[in-house]
Amino acid sequence: MKAAAFRRQNEMEIVDAPVPTAAPGDVVLKVHDCGICGSDLHACQYGMGMHAGSIMGHEFCGEIREIGAGVDGFRIGERVAGLPFAFCGECDRCKNGMAVHCRNLKGLGLGQLPGAYAEFVACPAASLFKLPDSISSRDGALVEPLSVGLHAIKRSRLRAGMTVLVMGAGPIGLATLTWAKGKGATVVVSEIAQGRGELALRLGADIIVNPRVQNPADKVRELTGRDPELILECIGIKGTLGEAIRMVAPRGEVVVVGVCMETDEIQPLQGILREAEVKFALAYDPADFDETIEALANGTIRPQPMVTDIIGVQQVPEMFQALRHPGNHAKVLVEFPQ
Ligand SMILES: [Zn+2]
Ligand SMILES: [Zn+2]
């Protein structure tokens, strides 16, 4: 089968890989769609311990083709989305609902287990979630990134009616925005790229501010008469966390969702002056997948505008190059012919 794999830093390649078979506890999926994630781009850029030939791709939706020994509750042909990791279910962290912090976690698509930029992928049945017929496979591939946005919101004190600031309208910012709207907030999005700002509007953002033109906190004050009480930092480049801390209201909250790979600086005084609370959010809990699937099924969230490109697996290497300067691209889906 054709698959897109890591070759060396900053380079992906198309490889011919054997079709996986289902080990006990696993199923094999025929992949329908798999999203390209910022983490994939980071992993490809920095290597992050991946060996050459690692098949990447972790935001997937597919249909069950083979079921391993000891797996109950799944049928051939069912469509599923999956947590992109294997977890033990036994450790203290798993038992507390934090599978992503499992002490025995094995990631899928980032070097440990082969990922879903491939016609077929093997994954643990325990990591899979069934999709109802009303959810398309393209939306199914968005369950993972949407769950990132949901988890960030659930880490915060967001409540309906609140005005929140989302910094950045890349895929994570758009997913977070989608959920902030789904939970009834008024959302100001700060974004430099005009195309991404327009996507944010299509996903329900109330106001887009170009931070090079206007301070986003001023816009929130215009709307509410108060400073931003919740800022969701979805950019993750050097300096943006410090900016968020300087904009947040006294005793307000900053949730860091964007992944900054460099050492960053903040001025603690700025946080102290505001008694700011800064929290970090990583991925999602299994329960977030359930909630995302339910919200897609009943139409509480409608994320399709965040998809800007649908490509074949052969185009993955060139798309990784293009996404080093994302411009107006947001979520790119790799789709396999059915
Ligand atoms: Zn991802
Ligand atoms: Zn565990």
Side-chain angles (χ1 to χ4, degrees):
M1 64 174 185
K2 292 276 179 250
F6 175 74
R7 182 167 190 194
R8 63 169 88 96
Q9 263 180 281
N10 287 319
E11 198 180 333
M12 296 288 288
E13 67 177 338
I14 300 300
V15 296
D16 250 316
V19 173
T21 53
D26 284 0
V27 302
V28 171
L29 305 181
K30 167 139 185 44
V31 179
H32 285 194
D33 288 272
C34 183
I36 296 181
C37 173
S39 311
D40 293 327
L41 304 172
H42 284 148
C44 181
Q45 186 182 350
Y46 294 91
M48 286 171 31
M50 272 192 304
H51 56 88
S54 299
I55 299 175
M56 297 184 69
H58 63 266
E59 302 182 350
F60 58 94
C61 160
E63 139 193 358
I64 295 180
R65 273 303 172 86
E66 194 199 337
I67 299 177
V71 174
D72 286 326
F74 288 102
R75 280 184 294 107
I76 302 287
E78 274 180 325
R79 285 181 320 129
V80 293
L83 299 168
F85 50 78
F87 58 99
C88 74
E90 305 284 334
C91 71
D92 55 326
R93 296 170 177 182
C94 283
K95 284 186 171 154
N96 281 322
M98 300 189 290
V100 73
H101 295 292
C102 173
R103 294 184 188 276
N104 306 300
L105 185 108
K106 268 200 199 144
L108 182 152
L110 289 165
Q112 290 177 299
L113 302 171
Y117 295 150
E119 290 166 63
F120 298 91
V121 65
C123 36
S127 301
L128 297 180
F129 294 75
K130 293 184 193 189
L131 295 172
D133 290 344
S134 59
I135 297 180
S136 69
S137 291
R138 289 177 181 177
D139 278 355
L142 297 178
V143 169
E144 195 266 9
L146 286 166
S147 296
V148 172
L150 172 61
H151 189 66
I153 296 291
K154 285 166 78 175
R155 297 272 297 138
S156 79
R157 294 191 297 256
L158 180 138
R159 51 186 194 280
M162 193 171 178
T163 298
V164 305
L165 173 58
V166 173
M167 294 171 68
I172 291 178
L174 294 173
T176 303
L177 152 71
T178 299
W179 270 111
K181 290 305 298 178
K183 299 278 186 188
T186 297
V187 184
V188 175
V189 173
S190 113
E191 171 59 52
I192 296 165
Q194 199 190 343
R196 286 183 159 190
E198 283 159 16
L199 291 178
L201 283 175
R202 289 175 58 205
L203 285 160
D206 296 280
I207 294 193
I208 311 299
V209 183
N210 181 338
R212 291 189 177 152
V213 176
Q214 184 182 17
N215 182 332
D218 288 342
K219 181 52 84 179
V220 172
R221 280 186 286 270
E222 261 173 41
L223 289 171
T224 64
R226 296 191 305 278
D227 306 303
E229 292 161 288
L230 170 59
I231 299 180
L232 296 137
E233 202 294 285
C234 301
I235 304 173
I237 60 173
K238 215 172 167 165
T240 50
L241 173 55
E243 266 173 48
I245 292 171
R246 287 192 300 276
M247 288 193 288
V248 78
R251 298 190 188 164
E253 190 176 32
V254 174
V255 179
V256 183
V257 205
V259 181
C260 182
M261 301 289 286
E262 292 174 87
T263 302
D264 199 359
E265 285 177 355
I266 58 162
Q267 193 177 25
L269 172 66
Q270 297 298 329
I272 289 169
L273 287 172
R274 294 164 183 80
E275 295 186 277
E277 268 184 65
V278 178
K279 273 186 196 166
F280 294 83
L282 171 69
Y284 28 69
D285 296 334
D288 299 326
F289 262 53
D290 286 323
E291 188 173 343
T292 297
I293 289 168
E294 194 183 320
L296 285 169
N298 65 26
T300 310
I301 55 170
R302 297 177 191 277
Q304 264 311 309
M306 76 172 65
V307 176
T308 51
D309 303 82
I310 292 171
I311 64 171
V313 70
Q314 304 275 4
Q315 294 161 273
V316 168
E318 60 191 272
M319 186 53 86
F320 267 57
Q321 293 302 326
L323 289 172
R324 292 170 74 179
H325 307 284
N328 292 330
H329 293 289
K331 184 53 70 185
V332 177
L333 294 183
V334 181
E335 193 161 89
F336 293 85
Q338 298 309 312

